[in-house]
Structure formats: C-alpha cells, structure tokens
Amino acid sequence: SNMLSSAIPTELGQLGQMEYKFDLEENSLSLAIPTELGNLDKMTSEFALDSNMLSSAIPTELGQLGQMEYKFDLEENSLSLAIPTELGNLDKMTSEFALDSNMLSSA
C-alpha cells in the first residue's frame, strides 16, 4: 500500500515483458482499468489490482493474460457490469482468481 490515487496510467500497458507480480493493490486508484493492461500477456502470476476504488467494467482485453497461473485479483473495488467471457482464456489458472466484493452482475 502506497496511498496511490488517481487513475492507473495507460502507459503501464507498455510493460509487455513483465511476467511476475504486477501489484497495485491496497491503494486509492480510481476510474476504469486501462484496456492497455491486456498487453501484459506474458504475465504468469500475481496480477493484483484489489482493494482500490476502480470502477466501470472489467476490460475484455484482460482475457489476453492467458499465461496466468496464479493470483488474478480484482476483488474489493467498484467494478460493475458482467464478467467478460474473455476471462475464460485464463485457462491455466490454478489458484486465486478473485473478483469478489465488487458490483458485478450476470450477463
């Protein structure tokens, strides 16, 4: 926790070689999750944006994180609308896929 506030910079989507621990949890980040974070498609574990104030829909582009195996965590935000079917592409996940404590609805 760093008490970061404001929006997640779209430029973080340029970290395309990142494989492990993209962690912005427990801050005061707000607004939408940038679609550009779908470019982090080499990530295998610990994509954590939980415990912020993120809102809007979960971007379908996060379905491009198909190498993820462990800890995809968006819990405890204000994310809304339906869970994108594209998240089904994270088919290598073995544990900690967390979307709870949001305002998500069924499709």
Side-chain angles (χ1 to χ4, degrees), residues 21-39:
K21 200 165 187 172
F22 182 84
D23 188 350
L24 296 175
E25 68 185 0
E26 296 180 6
N27 284 289
S28 296
L29 297 168
S30 59
L31 303 176
I33 297 171
T35 58
E36 290 83 356
L37 295 187
N39 294 333

Side-chain angles (χ1 to χ4, degrees), residues 40-53:
L40 305 179
D41 58 0
K42 290 184 172 67
M43 290 290 300
T44 59
S45 62
E46 295 194 47
F47 182 86
L49 300 177
D50 56 293
S51 303
N52 279 288
M53 296 184 297

Side-chain angles (χ1 to χ4, degrees), residues 22 25 33 37-38 40 43-50 58-75 79 83-84 86-88 90 93-100 102 104:
F22 182 84
E25 68 185 0
I33 297 171
L37 295 187
L40 305 179
M43 290 290 300
T44 59
S45 62
E46 295 194 47
F47 182 86
L49 300 177
D50 56 293
I58 297 171
T60 59
E61 290 82 358
L62 293 186
Q64 297 171 9
L65 305 181
Q67 299 302 309
M68 288 292 299
E69 297 175 6
Y70 167 75
K71 195 173 183 181
F72 179 86
D73 194 348
L74 302 180
E75 71 183 335
L79 299 168
I83 297 169
E86 290 83 355
L87 292 186
L90 279 65
M93 290 291 299
T94 58
S95 63
E96 289 196 52
F97 181 88
L99 302 178
D100 55 292
N102 279 289
L104 298 167

